[in-house]
Amino acid sequence: MKKLFMILMAFTLVLGLAACQDPDDNGDNGDNGNDVGNGDNGDNGDNGDNGDDVDDFVQGVTDTTIYVGNTAATSGNFAPVGVPFNAAIQGYFDMINDEGGINGREIEFIHYDDEFDGSTGLTYTERLVEEDEVFALVGHFGTPTVGATRDYLNSIGIPRVYYATGISALYNPEAEGFERSSFPVQPIYDAEGEVFVARAVSEFDAETIGVIYTNADDGEGMLNGIERRADMLDVELKTYSMSPGETPSSQALNIVNDDVDAVIIAANQDPFVAAAKALYEAGNEKPVLTSYVSAEAGVLQQLADELPDEQFDLYASAWVDIFDEDGDFNEGYQLFASQVPDYADNAFAMAGWIAAHFFVTGLERVGEDELTWERYIDAMEEAPIENPMGGIVDYADGSRVGTRAMALLKASVTEDEDGDYVFAWDNHLPIQDINAILSE
């Protein structure tokens, strides 16, 4: 069976957990580009009181250049995330610029290093908007900065494409006014929760689903989506909360006694492992689904004592696939690898590449028309946008929920020639949007 080369499996996890951390090892990553492209962007319009009308407003656009930016962390503990993320964004823009730009304009990328600090991120975001007067934010980075800047950006209406976090505050199925300028791409917790329920119903004919969720932003966000979709499909839920760091023994035993048809663990990696172990101990034999952030072989290794017993099947979501139907690298991945060869196997670089692709798609749709914020927003909404590494995102009618097109992976255990166990996630079902899942 073809193994799915899982990527971005820890992206939301890494950025979400860090919101509670205080990075203290800033290392020496050299010049992180805080002064790139900070020159005079020309007369880009008046960024005064925009009210709720951005029909004719634009900034960061000259006859020759479109200015964009972000504040991704490129030093400290999160440099291994931010550096390749930004390198791929720049690589995509370089490719576009080398081909003549968009309607004769090159894209210039301005970056400040917020060191994964929300206060610093807000300061630099304000600088990008008010002093550098960028046209858009591309790759708005990390839970602390995204959370700290959300109200500010919603009051302005500047386009922001791709958030490197999955916080529930981004989930908005009916965006209006300035909130239409927000374009999440990677899965938001709530949207993944909806996909869990769709998979449980489609794959396991589930009428009753047990849920163990963490009483934190990730678990509660997934629970929001689980409850929303369960209500739509008339599915009964048995829900039990757990605290991060807790062993949810009683919750697992309750789920077994509830005799559910499937189980969802709505949590990041460590709580997922604790909940899975508790379900094994409680005697669960029903299929278990969990988030893409746990779809990593190292996580399965933590269940090395349980998985070989094959007591129950274990599944996880995935939102990016770099293989075609024949098992070869797909065209989207090949283009990425050719343009960003230093990070060809880096999950965070792939995320940056996807961010730049989505942004440029909107520019290309505007074409030769005058480029304004409103025209750009309309262009992003006019048709679904393909992820170059699998799936689509549809922003029509104000839908701002990120991708709801996901694959389904299944945990496997094999033995190598020495008799040692090998743990992996196999591609069980291809990337499908939620409507396709439910139509099966």
Side-chain angles (χ1 to χ4, degrees):
M1 180 184 295
K2 176 177 81 79
K3 304 290 186 189
L4 181 71
F5 177 27
M6 266 303 303
I7 62 173
L8 303 182
M9 57 272 182
F11 200 54
T12 300
L13 168 74
V14 171
L15 300 180
L17 287 180
C20 301
Q21 296 176 356
D22 181 17
D24 56 4
D25 178 13
N26 291 334
D28 180 12
N29 291 297
D31 182 359
N32 292 315
N34 287 4
D35 297 320
V36 174
N38 292 341
D40 182 0
N41 294 349
D43 183 6
N44 297 319
D46 180 5
N47 192 20
D49 181 6
N50 296 326
D52 285 327
D53 184 3
V54 294
D55 285 357
D56 298 318
F57 186 81
V58 66
Q59 66 176 33
V61 178
T62 71
D63 290 341
T64 60
T65 308
I66 301 168
Y67 294 90
V68 301
N70 75 21
T71 67
T74 52
S75 66
N77 290 352
F78 290 90
V81 180
V83 169
F85 182 74
N86 270 4
I89 291 175
Q90 186 64 64
Y92 196 101
F93 291 160
D94 287 345
M95 176 185 71
I96 296 298
N97 293 342
D98 290 344
E99 295 172 352
I102 303 296
N103 197 27
R105 297 185 179 101
E106 293 191 350
I107 303 171
E108 185 166 327
F109 182 41
I110 304 170
H111 166 250
Y112 298 103
D113 176 13
D114 68 12
E115 299 181 346
F116 213 82
D117 177 82
S119 178
T120 304
L122 175 59
T123 298
Y124 282 145
T125 299
E126 290 172 340
R127 181 184 296 182
L128 284 167
V129 174
E130 298 172 17
E131 297 180 26
D132 300 317
E133 295 187 329
V134 295
F135 173 77
L137 300 177
V138 180
H140 200 33
F141 188 92
T143 299
T145 291
V146 171
T149 60
R150 180 172 173 270
D151 289 343
Y152 167 70
L153 294 172
N154 276 342
S155 73
I156 295 171
I158 185 172
R160 52 266 194 205
V161 179
Y162 195 109
Y163 296 88
T165 180
I167 60 172
S168 294
L170 299 175
Y171 186 92
N172 190 346
E174 297 179 344
E176 297 179 345
F178 284 170
E179 292 181 352
R180 290 178 60 230
S181 62
S182 172
F183 297 99
V185 178
Q186 76 175 56
I188 298 172
Y189 298 135
D190 302 54
E192 189 176 18
E194 291 196 57
V195 173
F196 287 151
V197 175
R199 286 294 190 193
V201 170
S202 174
E203 188 72 3
F204 310 120
D205 296 321
E207 297 180 358
T208 303
I209 299 174
V211 182
I212 298 177
Y213 68 96
T214 49
N215 53 5
D217 187 77
D218 55 340
E220 291 175 351
M222 292 181 212
L223 181 65
N224 289 339
I226 291 167
E227 291 178 334
R228 183 182 300 110
R229 186 59 58 168
D231 183 62
M232 294 170 64
L233 298 177
D234 197 25
V235 171
E236 183 181 3
L237 298 177
K238 303 290 185 179
T239 61
Y240 301 94
S241 69
M242 65 175 287
S243 299
E246 176 185 359
T247 299
S249 301
S250 62
Q251 297 93 321
L253 186 59
N254 285 337
I255 282 180
V256 171
N257 291 335
D258 288 333
D259 192 27
V260 299
D261 300 313
V263 181
I264 296 170
I265 301 176
N268 281 332
Q269 287 179 331
D270 289 344
F272 157 70
V273 172
K277 285 178 176 288
L279 287 166
Y280 275 107
E281 186 67 24
N284 174 66
E285 296 181 350
K286 301 299 173 65
V288 174
L289 299 96
T290 196
S291 173
Y292 78 98
V293 300
S294 294
E296 191 243 333
V299 173
L300 294 181
Q301 189 67 44
Q302 297 179 61
L303 299 172
D305 293 336
E306 292 85 6
L307 282 174
D309 293 338
E310 298 183 344
Q311 182 175 312
F312 57 80
D313 291 331
L314 184 59
Y315 299 86
S317 303
W319 72 282
V320 174
D321 189 357
I322 63 173
F323 292 105
D324 61 23
E325 294 180 354
D326 297 324
D328 300 321
F329 288 127
N330 60 32
E331 292 182 1
Y333 172 78
Q334 291 183 51
L335 180 60
F336 156 76
S338 70
Q339 298 297 316
V340 196
D342 291 344
Y343 295 105
D345 60 353
N346 187 285
F348 308 114
M350 295 178 200
W353 184 264
I354 292 168
H357 168 81
F358 270 74
F359 171 70
V360 169
T361 297
L363 295 180
E364 291 174 336
R365 288 179 177 179
V366 174
E368 296 183 357
D369 291 341
E370 181 184 2
L371 179 58
T372 65
W373 284 355
E374 185 67 17
R375 282 196 177 91
Y376 181 82
I377 293 166
D378 288 344
M380 292 289 283
E381 289 186 337
E382 72 180 32
I385 299 177
E386 285 194 28
N387 182 335
M389 298 181 199
I392 60 169
V393 180
D394 190 351
Y395 298 114
D397 301 320
S399 177
R400 303 294 187 269
V401 298
T403 185
R404 290 191 296 187
M406 306 192 80
L408 186 65
L409 311 180
K410 185 176 181 179
S412 69
V413 183
T414 57
E415 292 187 28
D416 63 17
E417 57 186 14
D418 296 323
D420 296 324
Y421 287 124
V422 177
F423 303 97
W425 291 96
D426 295 335
N427 191 14
H428 184 66
L429 290 172
I431 290 178
Q432 299 168 292
D433 66 31
I434 198 164
N435 293 325
I437 294 171
L438 291 170
S439 67
E440 292 188 338

